[in-house]
Amino acid sequence: MANQENSPLQIGLAGFGNVGAGVYKNLLKNRNLLEKRTGRALEVRRIVVRDPAKPRDVELPAELVTTDLNALIEDDEIDIVVELIGGIDRAFELVKAALERGKTVVTGNKALLAERGLELFAIADEKKTPIYFEAAVAGGIPIIKTVQESLIGNHIEAVAGIINGTCNYILTRMTDAGLDYPEALDEAQKLGYAEADPTLDINGWDAAHKAIILASLSYGCWVPTDRIYVEGIEKITRRDIDFAQRFGYVVKLLAIIRLHPESNAIELRVQPSLIPQDHILSSVNGVFNAIMVQGDVVGETLFYGSGAGQDPTSSSVISDLADAARWQSEQGGPTGFVPHGLYGKPLPIDETDSKYYLRVEADDEPGVLAQIARVLGDHNIGILSVIQPEDHAPGSAPIVLMLHYARFGTIREAIEQLGTLDCIREEPVLMRVETL
Ligand code: HSE
């Protein structure tokens, strides 16, 4: 390898999409600054793309291009493999092979780490080879290094984050411009915020992968993907957003990661949630992300910035390259590892508590409200307030209830029972109310 002191570090870049191209462009732009700060020049030696002929905003340097991922592994001169191809299987094979050859890895692939991080970190640990992943969570916000390094002296008590820019954009436009969900999604796609296939964004899984990574950093254990509770924003209507506003709340897709010290269990979930209009997270709008981290020593902290996009995300990748350069030079410093298996197991979702927003579409007849209240009362669920607006279509009436703290499992049972009432016309809409 070109790992001679002060010789340029050689980078193999896999992927030249939005982020990969940004990394290449910004490495060139700030090369002198980076060399001064890290003591090593950073040189891109090879770039792997699927289709070299594809038109691109950032010109592909033809002399560096190949379509063969193995070219990065087999080239002994390459010190660092930057994985920006996305997906899981090919990316896993690439990262695994790189680590096994002793190459430092930088990746922005949240799905890869959330699904197969346990295996990859075991290999990295065995090979004593670092893997860095600042770009995997919240684009340009330096949240990984913050939790790993700056908050190292804290027990992390809770993390609450708006960590999907596409969903935040859609919900913001529904709130501020009164758009319906399909219109807001269409707009997000036209502006290039949502992917052509936005499934993983809107179904909550992009945020869930990020939440699994944050939980791993905070609590030292990988929560399997089938143990995180995930809801997307597909069912949110403008109507619910309007009702939430009447109660003094805004709707955000929130990731919650929280340790329950009494049981040593981790609450880990992604759900559309109501947060008070005067809470600082409610003013995080558009494609921006924000993450609140509460530590037992530091107290409450908040990190805000661009959660996606070419330049912000490449800023994070480049910070990892700088860490890699320092590590190579000193064979020390942060390696990206977190000690796993320290403590923590996932808390079953039905055992989590919160207040709730519940909208029920019911027959507009005497006694209906009493039937709904009886079901809730039978489950020992208190009602905080109720709205039944007069301006509704004839026959069916929306009844909107704010409910007191209750177990999620109890609420789910109550909703199932509500569904059996003849007076209920549609599946009820339930959202958490977070006081944060
Ligand atoms: N698609 C993500 C978002 C960015 O909308 O926030 C990359 O994870």
Side-chain angles (χ1 to χ4, degrees):
M1 282 195 213
N3 192 10
Q4 312 294 321
E5 214 177 319
N6 294 329
S7 63
L9 274 175
Q10 300 294 324
I11 296 167
L13 179 59
F16 205 78
N18 195 33
V19 179
V23 170
Y24 182 73
K25 177 186 80 175
N26 288 311
L27 268 179
L28 288 181
K29 175 171 176 268
N30 287 349
R31 67 191 305 168
N32 293 338
L33 176 84
L34 279 160
E35 187 172 348
K36 270 195 206 131
R37 289 183 174 169
T38 63
R40 295 291 286 271
L42 293 162
E43 249 176 48
V44 176
R45 180 178 168 88
R46 267 314 208 188
I47 301 175
V48 185
V49 296
R50 267 187 203 265
D51 177 8
K54 189 174 143 185
R56 295 162 203 274
D57 294 339
V58 177
E59 200 183 328
L60 198 53
E63 67 285 4
L64 305 185
V65 172
T66 168
T67 53
D68 179 13
L69 285 172
N70 279 327
L72 304 189
I73 304 304
E74 281 158 14
D75 184 343
D76 285 337
E77 294 297 308
I78 288 179
D79 303 292
I80 306 168
V81 170
V82 179
E83 184 279 302
L84 297 171
I85 56 176
I88 295 179
D89 294 340
R90 279 175 81 234
F92 179 81
E93 293 308 326
L94 174 68
V95 170
K96 178 172 179 257
L99 292 171
E100 283 172 344
R101 293 284 279 258
K103 296 178 191 300
T104 299
V105 169
V106 173
T107 176
N109 191 331
K110 63 226 68 158
L112 172 69
L113 295 179
E115 301 271 354
R116 305 199 64 180
L118 184 62
E119 295 160 80
L120 290 176
F121 279 89
I123 300 167
D125 198 14
E126 189 196 322
K127 298 285 173 190
K128 300 282 169 269
T129 305
I131 173 165
Y132 300 104
F133 48 99
E134 185 62 69
V137 179
I141 305 176
I143 191 67
I144 301 292
K145 294 192 212 322
T146 297
V147 177
Q148 275 183 332
E149 297 171 29
S150 311
L151 301 180
I152 193 165
N154 285 259
H155 288 101
I156 303 297
E157 294 171 333
V159 179
I162 296 172
I163 50 178
N164 183 272
T166 305
C167 289
N168 204 41
Y169 181 84
I170 291 170
L171 293 173
T172 300
R173 293 293 289 158
M174 290 172 76
T175 306
D176 293 352
L179 301 186
D180 286 321
Y181 172 77
E183 289 175 287
L185 172 59
D186 188 50
E187 194 179 275
Q189 280 177 303
K190 286 200 175 112
L191 289 168
Y193 298 145
E195 307 291 331
D197 176 3
T199 313
L200 283 183
D201 288 314
I202 60 177
N203 71 10
W205 272 98
D206 174 82
H209 288 145
K210 295 167 182 168
I212 287 173
I213 295 171
L214 289 175
S216 130
L217 297 178
S218 303
Y219 300 120
C221 64
W222 288 103
V223 173
T225 44
D226 60 359
R227 302 291 296 278
I228 174 170
Y229 183 81
V230 184
E231 285 174 33
I233 62 165
E234 308 97 315
K235 291 188 189 151
I236 307 296
T237 63
R238 214 176 76 199
R239 201 169 202 201
D240 295 306
I241 287 178
D242 290 344
F243 283 128
Q245 282 184 309
R246 288 204 212 181
F247 285 114
Y249 294 89
V250 294
V251 178
K252 296 286 182 193
L253 184 72
L254 273 193
I256 300 286
I257 304 153
R258 183 183 288 139
L259 185 71
H260 290 245
E262 68 289 350
S263 56
N264 225 8
I266 303 161
E267 180 175 348
L268 185 57
R269 56 191 169 83
V270 172
Q271 290 177 286
S273 308
L274 274 63
I275 56 178
Q277 276 164 350
D278 59 3
H279 191 278
I280 194 158
L281 284 182
S282 76
S283 54
V284 175
N285 286 322
V287 286
F288 281 93
N289 283 194
I291 304 161
M292 279 178 49
V293 184
Q294 192 173 320
D296 63 342
V297 180
V298 72
E300 208 168 84
T301 59
L302 178 67
F303 305 90
Y304 170 87
S306 296
Q310 183 173 77
D311 287 334
T313 310
S314 65
S315 165
S316 287
V317 174
I318 290 170
S319 83
D320 283 347
L321 289 169
D323 274 358
R326 287 194 213 105
W327 190 87
Q328 298 261 355
S329 302
E330 299 159 16
Q331 288 287 313
T335 59
F337 297 134
V338 271
H340 279 78
L342 285 183
Y343 53 85
K345 59 181 189 296
L347 183 71
I349 190 69
D350 281 343
E351 292 173 27
T352 59
D353 296 292
S354 65
K355 296 185 197 172
Y356 300 89
Y357 162 99
L358 177 65
R359 175 168 63 82
V360 181
E361 293 294 322
D363 291 344
D364 189 14
E365 282 176 3
V368 164
L369 187 55
Q371 288 182 55
I372 295 168
R374 187 171 315 116
V375 171
L376 295 170
D378 287 348
H379 287 83
N380 208 22
I381 299 167
I383 297 172
L384 288 163
S385 52
V386 183
I387 302 179
Q388 186 182 11
E390 287 181 39
D391 54 340
H392 57 78
S396 169
I399 299 172
V400 187
L401 304 110
M402 297 298 277
L403 304 177
H404 223 297
Y405 279 98
R407 282 276 145 106
F408 194 59
T410 310
I411 285 279
R412 291 214 283 196
E413 278 170 22
I415 288 179
E416 209 175 303
Q417 200 173 327
L418 283 176
T420 66
L421 297 178
D422 289 341
C423 62
I424 302 296
R425 295 194 168 201
E426 287 173 17
E427 195 187 335
V429 173
L430 177 76
M431 284 190 275
R432 301 261 190 177
V433 177
E434 299 291 347
T435 43
L436 298 166

